[in-house]
Amino acid sequence: MANSAQARKRARQAEKHRTHNASMRSALRTACKKVLKISAAGNREQAETAYREAVPVVDKMARKGLIHKNTAARRKSRLNAQIKALAR
């Protein structure tokens, strides 16, 4: 356990950051899963709408450092590929 005042404060901050990051990560996963669920159902228009809502969420998480920028690009690319596959 933390012994100094500084270490106790850092422990408090780390816990606060951990819970905040967990909720942000959950929102990211939810946005991505929404697109996948709709595209699996075969509704392209709704999938495109969900994708447009998910892209800013993914970008924000990359900007905040929760995920790497290449990870964000990969997620967006794969989601978009799912939607494009519906056109065939």
Side-chain angles (χ1 to χ4, degrees), residues 54-74:
V55 167
V57 175
V58 174
D59 288 337
K60 182 178 180 182
M61 296 309 127
R63 230 180 14 256
K64 298 291 184 183
L66 197 67
I67 59 174
H68 193 272
K69 65 175 186 156
N70 292 355
T71 304
R74 185 180 66 242

Side-chain angles (χ1 to χ4, degrees), residues 31-32 34-36 38 44-58 72-73 75-83:
C32 292
K34 184 177 178 183
V35 176
L36 293 174
I38 294 171
R44 184 176 176 149
E45 291 77 25
Q46 285 184 350
E48 288 175 346
T49 304
Y51 176 76
R52 281 194 291 273
E53 292 171 0
V55 167
V57 175
V58 174
R75 283 182 186 242
K76 291 188 295 185
S77 176
R78 288 181 180 174
L79 290 175
N80 199 20
Q82 287 278 326
I83 294 169

Side-chain angles (χ1 to χ4, degrees), residues 8-63:
R8 283 192 294 272
K9 180 178 179 179
R10 292 300 295 169
R12 285 194 309 270
Q13 288 176 331
E15 179 62 21
K16 189 184 295 186
H17 292 146
R18 186 187 68 79
T19 55
H20 184 260
N21 287 341
S23 68
M24 293 294 105
R25 197 173 296 115
S26 176
L28 172 68
R29 289 180 183 143
T30 302
C32 292
K33 284 182 184 179
K34 184 177 178 183
V35 176
L36 293 174
K37 183 179 177 183
I38 294 171
S39 65
N43 192 334
R44 184 176 176 149
E45 291 77 25
Q46 285 184 350
E48 288 175 346
T49 304
Y51 176 76
R52 281 194 291 273
E53 292 171 0
V55 167
V57 175
V58 174
D59 288 337
K60 182 178 180 182
M61 296 309 127
R63 230 180 14 256

